[in-house]
Amino acid sequence: MRTVKVVVEKHEEGFVAYPLGLRGVVVGQGDTFEEALADVKSAIKFHLETFGPEALDESDSAQEAFIAEAQVA
């Protein structure tokens, strides 16, 4: 069992979730936070079954993820 950090974004149309530290594109979506999280978990499992454990980027050692805003000209 591995733990993968997942970013979940709330948009007007619903929620989008994507994992950190995984090679390739994996995205989940749903009308609720829980649906998006369940969808991305399923996508991660499928991705790892398809591409193997090499798809995990062991060099990505993010301990936490933060959201910040920056104003640019």
Side-chain angles (χ1 to χ4, degrees), residues 4-8 17-28 40-41 43-44 47 56 60:
V4 178
K5 290 177 180 58
V6 175
V7 175
V8 181
Y18 53 91
L20 302 176
L22 197 63
R23 292 185 180 102
V25 178
V26 177
V27 178
V40 80
K41 284 181 186 179
I44 292 168
H47 192 76
L56 285 170
D60 185 337

Side-chain angles (χ1 to χ4, degrees), residues 1 23 30 41-42 45 48 51 63:
M1 184 72 61
R23 292 185 180 102
K41 284 181 186 179
S42 175
K45 182 178 176 186
L48 291 174
F51 298 104
Q63 294 179 348

